[in-house]
Amino acid sequence: MEFKWKEDHFVGEFSFGALPVSGQPTLGYSPFELMVSSISVCSGSVLKKILEKRRISVEDITVQANPVFKEEENRIVSIHLHFMIEANVSETIAQKSVALAFKNCPMVRSVEEAIQITESFEVK
């Protein structure tokens, strides 16, 4: 990966397109948004794959992220992820699948020693 300074922000070029990154909200995505997005989407994608491997048809998954940033520590200290799963799945299988997703999400695994990540879910 490579990020280049363009006037007043960084831009990463990827096969999908340009990714502007800046601490100023009018110039690009903030590093905070990208970090929380990466953890949320990674765990949600892994969850979907796990459910599909169990032959469960998933209509939709929505992930709500509630990050806590402590100014005095200058870091994200915790993120609570709430998964809303639209599928014909029991609460027990959903709970096991969410737990397994957390164990297999590379982004969660990469930050688990520094950021407390908790999860909850509901089946619709």
Side-chain angles (χ1 to χ4, degrees), residues 4-45:
K4 292 191 178 211
W5 185 254
K6 304 275 184 167
E7 297 177 25
D8 49 10
H9 64 284
F10 281 97
V11 176
E13 295 292 337
F14 299 92
S15 58
F16 189 70
L19 177 65
V21 182
S22 175
Q24 298 179 17
T26 59
L27 300 175
Y29 298 100
S30 73
F32 175 82
E33 291 169 326
L34 294 172
M35 173 71 83
V36 174
S37 297
S38 295
I39 293 167
S40 302
V41 172
C42 177
S43 57
S45 297

Side-chain angles (χ1 to χ4, degrees), residues 101-122:
F102 269 64
K103 290 179 184 173
N104 288 285
C105 170
M107 297 308 301
V108 170
R109 299 300 312 268
S110 296
V111 301
E112 65 189 353
E113 297 296 321
I115 301 173
Q116 178 187 15
I117 301 176
T118 56
E119 76 277 348
S120 60
F121 72 92
E122 64 186 90

Side-chain angles (χ1 to χ4, degrees), residues 48-67:
K48 186 172 187 310
K49 287 179 188 174
I50 289 167
L51 291 170
E52 288 175 343
K53 283 184 180 180
R54 291 183 169 180
R55 293 184 171 84
I56 296 168
S57 178
V58 178
E59 291 179 37
D60 192 27
I61 295 179
T62 300
V63 184
Q64 293 177 334
N66 184 17

